[in-house]
Amino acid sequence: QVQLVQSGAEVKRPGASVKVSCKTSGYTFTDYYVYWVRQAPGQGLEWMGWINSKNGDKYYAQKFQGRVTMTTDTSITTGYMEMTRLTPDDTAIYYCARGVGAPGMHWGQGTLVTVSS
Amino acid sequence: EIVLTQSPDTLSLSPGERATLSCRAAQTIANNFLAWFQQKPGQAPRLLIYTASTRATGIPDRFSGSGSGTDFTLTISRLEPEDFAMYYCHQYGHSPSTFGQGTKLEI
């Protein structure tokens, strides 16, 4: 069955970087995009962007351009989202999701990233 | 970016009743690329509807989506106890994709 399993919770200092992984299985990795969505505590969903697992094309929401890098490693069917220059406002649960055109039925369990001094 | 406004913010109903949730876009959504997600506390979002009216695999038929252009609706015909949750609309017809702010469906 399709699974997306994310890396564990992280605690970071302001100004640091974080890299969240999304290990996938149960499907042909390069047939789908990997989307990233985040959710601050008690808040709604925020779309961050996507990466085409087949050719590496990417699209980031303008808010995150310059601070976010999405990558994939097709050899281990894993997607990554790295964010730099973290601030407390980046404290959130970060989700990966599989899809074509939009996040679909299969999501990771979420990774809590806490930014605090 | 396209702003999606959901209404109401909170909807209080009882099991067995009909729920109607609205999502209004600031401009026309291309190809009716509008999805609905359900989210329960501590869980990832769950896709219910895509392209405005197509139910995702395994979604009960009490959930239905309708609308086009700028006005979209999610209807739950007869509420079950497990339906009380947050609901988000999501447009993917224009980049960047965006989510509505959510509607809390409560008992």
Side-chain angles (χ1 to χ4, degrees), chain A residues 11-59:
Chain A
V11 179
K12 296 292 183 181
R13 300 294 190 198
S17 300
V18 69
K19 190 170 186 177
V20 178
S21 67
C22 175
K23 169 65 179 171
T24 75
S25 60
Y27 69 97
T28 302
F29 183 69
T30 51
D31 283 351
Y32 293 84
Y33 290 31
V34 178
Y35 294 84
W36 292 90
V37 174
R38 77 176 185 178
Q39 187 170 37
Q43 302 301 308
L45 302 172
E46 183 173 27
W47 189 88
M48 298 180 68
W50 53 258
I51 180 167
N52 182 331
S53 306
K54 178 172 287 185
N55 61 17
D57 284 350
K58 308 165 192 182
Y59 186 95

Side-chain angles (χ1 to χ4, degrees), chain B residues 16-107:
Chain B
E17 291 190 297
R18 180 186 185 91
T20 303
L21 287 68
S22 173
C23 177
R24 176 162 290 177
Q27 59 193 80
T28 297
I29 304 300
N31 302 307
N32 288 334
F33 281 169
L34 190 288
W36 289 93
F37 289 88
Q38 176 193 68
Q39 188 180 33
K40 297 180 180 179
Q43 296 184 16
R46 175 194 183 197
L47 177 66
L48 299 174
I49 301 286
Y50 60 96
T51 54
S53 61
T54 304
R55 267 189 305 276
T57 302
I59 300 303
D61 61 7
R62 65 179 181 273
F63 291 91
S64 63
S66 62
S68 63
T70 61
D71 290 300
F72 299 87
T73 300
L74 174 69
T75 302
I76 311 172
S77 58
R78 294 172 309 281
L79 286 166
E80 298 287 344
E82 62 267 27
D83 299 336
F84 292 91
M86 285 292 296
Y87 290 84
Y88 295 94
C89 59
H90 171 61
Q91 72 79 20
Y92 52 100
H94 300 265
S95 295
S97 295
T98 48
F99 287 94
Q101 84 280 9
T103 289
K104 182 179 182 179
L105 178 56
E106 65 177 23
I107 296 178

Side-chain angles (χ1 to χ4, degrees), chain A residues 10-18 20 37-41 46 48 63-65 67-68 81-95 111-116:
Chain A
E10 303 261 14
V11 179
K12 296 292 183 181
R13 300 294 190 198
S17 300
V18 69
V20 178
V37 174
R38 77 176 185 178
Q39 187 170 37
E46 183 173 27
M48 298 180 68
K63 175 178 182 176
F64 300 106
Q65 288 177 10
R67 278 209 307 139
V68 163
M81 187 285 301
E82 182 172 23
M83 183 178 287
T84 61
R85 304 193 305 276
L86 292 167
T87 74
D89 288 343
D90 295 315
T91 295
I93 297 173
Y94 289 77
Y95 292 102
T111 296
L112 175 62
V113 176
T114 303
V115 184
S116 173

